[in-house]
Amino acid sequence: MCKGLAGVAALPATCLKSAKDIKHRLGFLLQKPEPCDRSISCGQKEKTPSPPQVCEEEVKKWAESLENLIHHESGLSAFKAFLKSEYSEENIEFWIACEDYKKTETPTKLGSKAKKIYDDFISTQAAKEVNLDSSTREETKKNLLEPTPFCFEEAQRKIFTLMEKDSYRRFLKSKLYLDLVSQSIKSGTMKKLKGHSLDYSRLIPQYA
């Protein structure tokens, strides 16, 4: 038994060892475990989602026409991202809204959906107003009096043409598009090009 605590130096070696053991055990018991994020498995790092891969045929079709580009899921996503970088995403959003509107099967829903599209994109007070001439704007407004699935057909066609002649051409020459082509090569999805250099000029139409 340890007696005479006149100072630490006077304590026998066995007492000092016992005191250190007790302190170590108490410290271990009082330690709180680190919280573990349930969304990530303990001991594992969060994985960054891999970007979508595209194959040679898809990339070539995107360069052939705007229609091919926006009717492909990955192509549409890429084009939307490009337009957003140019602060002109309202054009493709309007086109998508029109495509969705034409698929409306319930006649009673046509009126409310048509009004929302008009208020969002065509009205002069619209937050995402698209660039339409006054005659097309007025014609579309009249169509809303008796809504049909084709209320926005002319307006949609003009916005499509606007994108085709302007932003689509810039997209094909953008870093975003070229990076997608490069990614396809690196990921091995362009099997036909193995061992051959890629001629970008044949993927990108030359415009005057």
Side-chain angles (χ1 to χ4, degrees):
M1 206 171 167
C2 301
K3 296 180 181 179
L5 300 179
V8 175
L11 288 174
T14 53
C15 288
L16 289 172
K17 186 177 184 304
S18 298
K20 286 180 180 179
D21 288 344
I22 294 170
K23 183 179 178 182
H24 176 74
R25 290 176 186 176
L26 285 173
F28 180 81
L29 292 172
L30 291 172
Q31 275 187 338
K32 292 183 179 179
E34 290 290 331
C36 179
D37 188 350
R38 293 185 181 180
S39 62
I40 307 170
S41 299
C42 293
Q44 294 182 356
K45 292 183 179 180
E46 185 177 3
K47 293 182 180 179
T48 303
S50 301
Q53 296 180 349
V54 288
C55 69
E56 179 184 14
E57 288 305 312
E58 289 167 351
V59 174
K60 287 172 66 177
K61 285 180 180 178
W62 295 359
E64 287 172 3
S65 70
L66 175 59
E67 189 172 358
N68 287 345
L69 173 68
I70 60 181
H71 279 95
H72 186 279
E73 186 179 355
S74 295
L76 178 59
S77 296
F79 190 52
K80 283 171 68 178
F82 174 73
L83 291 181
K84 190 171 184 179
S85 72
E86 290 200 331
Y87 302 99
S88 60
E89 65 267 30
E90 69 276 358
N91 291 327
I92 193 63
E93 288 178 5
F94 172 67
W95 184 87
I96 293 171
C98 290
E99 287 294 291
D100 177 69
Y101 175 79
K102 288 187 288 188
K103 296 173 185 175
T104 305
E105 297 179 353
T106 309
T108 54
K109 290 184 179 180
L110 287 174
S112 59
K113 291 184 78 171
K115 185 178 185 308
K116 178 168 175 53
I117 293 175
Y118 182 86
D119 291 343
D120 287 349
F121 300 102
I122 299 179
S123 168
T124 53
Q125 306 298 321
K128 299 179 181 180
E129 183 184 358
V130 292
N131 188 12
L132 290 171
D133 57 89
S134 57
S135 61
T136 304
R137 198 183 300 274
E138 285 302 313
E139 179 187 346
T140 305
K141 188 176 181 179
K142 289 177 182 177
N143 290 341
L144 266 63
L145 297 174
E146 294 182 11
T148 71
F150 309 103
C151 278
F152 301 98
E153 189 168 20
E154 181 63 15
Q156 184 185 17
R157 185 185 67 79
K158 291 201 171 181
I159 293 302
F160 179 91
T161 302
L162 179 66
M163 292 190 293
E164 186 177 40
K165 291 181 177 179
D166 186 28
S167 49
Y168 171 59
R169 296 182 180 186
R170 291 197 304 276
F171 168 77
L172 293 178
K173 297 177 182 180
S174 69
K175 183 178 183 301
L176 190 154
Y177 176 72
L178 296 179
D179 282 349
L180 284 171
V181 177
S182 177
Q183 177 193 40
S184 298
I185 301 169
K186 290 177 182 177
S187 64
T189 55
M190 289 187 174
K191 294 179 181 178
K192 281 170 59 179
L193 297 177
K194 260 190 176 178
H196 301 278
S197 60
L198 177 64
D199 181 8
Y200 284 99
S201 62
R202 71 184 181 84
L203 290 177
I204 305 173
Q206 301 300 311
Y207 294 100

